[in-house]
Amino acid sequence: MQGIQHIIFDLGGVLLNIDYQLTSKAFTALGITDFDQHFSQLHANSLFEDLETGKVNEEEFLEKIKEHLPAGTKSEDIITAWNAMLLDYPVARLQLLQQLRQHYNLFLLSNTNAIHLAAFNAILEKSRGISSLATFFDRTYYSHLVGLRKPGKEIFQLILDENDLRPEHTLFIDDTLPNVEAAKELGIQAIHLQAPKTILDIFRR
């Protein structure tokens, strides 16, 4: 941590526990038998990429998904299946963010979408009484709102430029290797967080 002044956190798998298989199983139950071919942590087809960069809105996404589902499938059931991967925020991780913010500038960078944004803020409010993740950060960057997504270098450069951050003084933490490698190419110090390790292990000292 020597020389670090700013920390950029990924969300899913770093702060929020997630399980992609729960969404896969939920869509299989709805009638999509090859969901894993359409979406995974390391690969998303153009529909999911467009959702995560704001090129497709929630309604358009739902209508496209319905093309692969039995007639009469309700939008609410699709949303429930899509959100099934989102689990919980371990309280120790949130407490760590509060402690770190006393010493560092904190930023959140997530490849996400409007449906998930509403859902993971709702999880936070229901479990911790906090209405938004923005409470813990100086600024939050969500791919669907800025029109860029990891591992594209442009989204990292956007954060550096908008906040006048020097990459050598900036640490990025993500559980997906291509994202970490992209940050490193810009001179950002980066950590590939691999289970079972958590951010508590990084900052234990």
Side-chain angles (χ1 to χ4, degrees):
M1 295 298 294
Q2 186 173 0
I4 295 299
Q5 301 173 9
H6 328 287
I7 307 173
I8 305 171
F9 286 93
D10 174 39
L11 177 58
V14 175
L15 302 175
L16 173 68
N17 283 330
I18 56 174
D19 185 344
Y20 289 95
Q21 287 305 308
L22 293 178
T23 284
S24 176
K25 291 176 181 177
F27 273 112
T28 298
L30 287 179
I32 296 181
T33 57
D34 58 348
F35 181 80
D36 288 334
Q37 294 182 26
H38 292 289
F39 179 89
S40 72
Q41 184 178 14
L42 294 176
H43 172 76
N45 71 14
S46 59
L47 174 61
F48 296 108
E49 287 186 357
D50 288 348
L51 182 68
E52 286 192 342
T53 52
K55 296 175 184 176
V56 169
N57 63 31
E58 178 178 335
E59 292 74 22
E60 292 168 330
F61 172 74
L62 294 173
E63 290 306 311
K64 285 287 187 180
I65 291 292
K66 286 179 183 178
E67 294 176 4
H68 302 275
L69 288 166
T73 302
K74 297 180 180 179
S75 294
E76 306 89 83
D77 294 332
I78 298 172
I79 291 173
T80 297
W82 183 230
N83 288 337
M85 70 176 77
L86 308 176
L87 302 180
D88 65 300
Y89 300 93
V91 65
R93 297 180 194 174
L94 300 179
Q95 291 172 336
L96 175 63
L97 290 177
Q98 292 174 322
Q99 294 167 0
L100 290 173
R101 202 170 180 198
Q102 298 175 34
H103 306 283
Y104 305 95
N105 300 313
L106 300 189
F107 302 90
L108 181 66
L109 172 56
S110 177
N111 284 352
T112 191
N113 55 84
I115 299 172
H116 280 173
L117 175 59
F120 59 66
N121 275 330
I123 291 170
L124 184 63
E125 182 160 30
K126 182 177 180 180
S127 62
R128 308 299 174 198
I130 300 170
S131 60
S132 172
L133 270 174
T135 302
F136 297 94
F137 297 94
D138 293 273
R139 292 190 70 173
T140 57
Y141 287 84
Y142 298 119
S143 61
H144 70 292
L145 296 180
V146 298
L148 302 167
R149 70 191 294 275
K150 300 172 288 183
K153 297 184 184 69
E154 295 84 359
I155 196 166
F156 295 102
Q157 194 63 55
L158 178 70
I159 298 176
L160 296 175
D161 292 344
E162 287 193 349
N163 300 283
D164 196 24
L165 309 183
R166 293 177 59 178
E168 66 269 24
H169 294 161
T170 304
L171 175 67
F172 172 60
I173 303 171
D174 197 296
D175 66 332
T176 302
L177 184 57
N179 299 340
V180 170
E181 292 174 337
K184 286 182 176 179
E185 288 181 18
L186 290 175
I188 297 170
Q189 298 192 49
I191 294 174
H192 181 208
L193 186 65
Q194 297 175 275
K197 288 188 176 182
T198 73
I199 56 170
L200 301 179
D201 297 302
I202 295 174
F203 297 102
R204 192 172 299 280
R205 287 181 296 175

